[in-house]
Amino acid sequence: VDDLVAHMTALGRFGDTAFLVPMYGSGELSQAFCRSGAVYGSTYMLRRSPLAVITDDSKVVKGIVLSGEEHIGDANEISTDDIKDKSISCKNVIVPSTMMPSSMAHERQARIYRRVCILRGSLIRDDSGDDEQRHAVVIPPHTTSVDNMSAIHGVVFDESSFVAPSGKGYTLVHLTTSKQEGDATPDDVFVSSLERAYQMLVLSQEQTEDNNKLIEEIRHISFSYATGGEPPNCLSGLNVCHREGQSLTIDYAFAQARKIFETICPNTDFLGLSKTVEEAILYRDKEDSDDEQ
């Protein structure tokens, strides 16, 4: 019901649909965060992975240990300091639940199953002749031709959202289903249901002799990952992000970001511009570069 209300109240805000998608793919969201963070003085350390969290005897976070810079190019081109592990002092650390010790995971966690396909041709067409591929797909549980135990969600995009090369006629399809916590059903059952869902979508479209209308799968990849409840947090200053259940939107990520932000920065507006930055935006110099603007 909450999702339905959110959908209805979002209609008409930015056009005919309630859904917004980033151009060039979801990677643009993290890039936007990076650029926004840089405005506020954040620092990114690339090609390093977190190894350990530093704590004191009271189990309070004091810092984090990062691995040495990943090897790129000739070993002689990398300085000695760059390839060493580095310790950074801090009061708060945010990590994904996948990096927590396996002993903290549930025995039978819920799982998300994904199938990503690259097609040549338009997967969904209508009588209007507009073959632009920007669609959300929902296949209910226990659909006869799919025999899926859980609902299957899908999104379909093409070059119109800049996720495929221009002029090549490619379509990108993401299909997702899930297994509930405690379910002992083998993974192959869910992976196979995504394959059948893809075949059903293809067969539901009339195939013609026109080369531009034929649907051909160029490549696909299937994978899964664990999700479920938030693991227990036994350290002060350690904030653990966990993946949500199956959803077509990223609303949960924003809700989780708000929760962590309010823990670290209480009594501060979430996603609010500081007065200094707001004035800089209003009175920026026309000669500034794109990054400065």
Side-chain angles (χ1 to χ4, degrees):
V1 174
D2 291 340
D3 288 345
L4 181 60
V5 171
H7 179 86
M8 296 302 294
T9 55
L11 287 171
R13 290 194 176 186
F14 300 98
D16 297 334
T17 178
F19 290 104
L20 295 177
V21 297
M23 294 295 189
Y24 301 98
S26 59
E28 292 298 293
L29 295 174
S30 56
Q31 182 178 171
F33 177 82
C34 171
R35 293 170 70 91
S36 176
V39 172
Y40 287 88
S42 65
T43 301
Y44 276 74
M45 298 190 68
L46 305 180
R47 298 191 297 272
R48 290 180 181 266
S49 301
L51 297 178
V53 176
I54 303 171
T55 64
D56 60 14
D57 295 338
S58 301
K59 294 186 177 181
V60 175
V61 169
K62 293 298 182 181
I64 189 170
V65 180
L66 300 179
S67 67
E69 185 172 319
E70 294 179 11
H71 202 113
I72 296 179
D74 193 301
N76 296 327
E77 298 175 2
I78 302 178
S79 68
T80 305
D81 290 337
D82 288 337
I83 61 176
K84 290 181 178 180
D85 294 348
K86 182 179 291 291
S87 297
I88 299 178
S89 299
C90 60
K91 296 180 180 178
N92 290 278
V93 173
I94 303 173
V95 297
S97 59
T98 53
M99 299 192 68
M100 300 299 288
S102 57
S103 59
M104 301 179 69
H106 303 285
E107 184 176 352
R108 289 181 178 174
Q109 290 181 287
R111 293 195 72 81
I112 297 293
Y113 300 86
R114 303 286 305 279
R115 190 180 199 276
V116 183
C117 319
I118 301 175
L119 314 179
R120 180 179 287 116
S122 300
L123 180 63
I124 299 175
R125 297 188 294 272
D126 55 39
D127 297 334
S128 67
D130 183 8
D131 288 346
E132 186 176 83
Q133 301 294 285
R134 293 188 189 182
H135 303 284
V137 177
V138 178
I139 302 175
H142 308 296
T143 297
T144 303
S145 58
V146 179
D147 192 25
N148 51 316
M149 298 179 63
S150 305
I152 294 177
H153 294 161
V155 290
V156 182
F157 299 114
D158 63 3
E159 63 184 68
S160 64
S161 54
F162 302 100
V163 298
S166 177
K168 303 295 185 180
Y170 290 135
T171 299
L172 187 65
V173 181
H174 292 255
L175 296 175
T176 305
T177 191
S178 58
K179 176 170 68 174
Q180 300 302 312
E181 185 174 338
D183 189 344
T185 304
D187 292 344
D188 290 346
V189 173
F190 297 91
V191 174
S192 298
S193 69
L194 293 179
E195 166 66 20
R196 291 190 295 270
Y198 162 72
Q199 295 296 339
M200 184 197 72
L201 291 172
V202 171
L203 294 175
S204 67
Q205 304 298 312
E206 181 181 357
Q207 298 288 301
T208 70
E209 295 300 324
D210 183 351
N211 288 334
N212 292 327
K213 300 295 183 182
L214 292 176
I215 302 173
E216 177 188 1
E217 185 177 65
I218 305 300
R219 183 177 176 81
H220 82 270
I221 183 172
S222 297
F223 58 92
S224 69
Y225 53 83
T227 181
E230 186 172 357
N233 188 354
C234 55
L235 300 178
S236 175
L238 179 65
N239 302 275
V240 181
C241 298
H242 62 281
R243 296 178 185 267
E244 66 167 329
Q246 182 178 341
S247 176
L248 274 171
T249 69
I250 59 171
D251 291 350
Y252 184 81
F254 277 91
Q256 194 168 196
R258 177 189 292 274
K259 178 182 177 181
I260 294 175
F261 179 85
E262 291 175 347
T263 299
I264 299 175
C265 305
N267 304 318
T268 305
D269 291 337
F270 178 65
L271 295 180
L273 286 175
S274 71
K275 292 296 183 182
T276 303
V277 173
E278 189 172 8
E279 290 178 1
I281 293 175
L282 290 175
Y283 302 106
R284 62 192 177 199
D285 194 323
K286 293 182 179 180
E287 301 301 322
D288 288 345
S289 67
D290 289 343
D291 287 339
E292 291 172 329
Q293 292 182 13

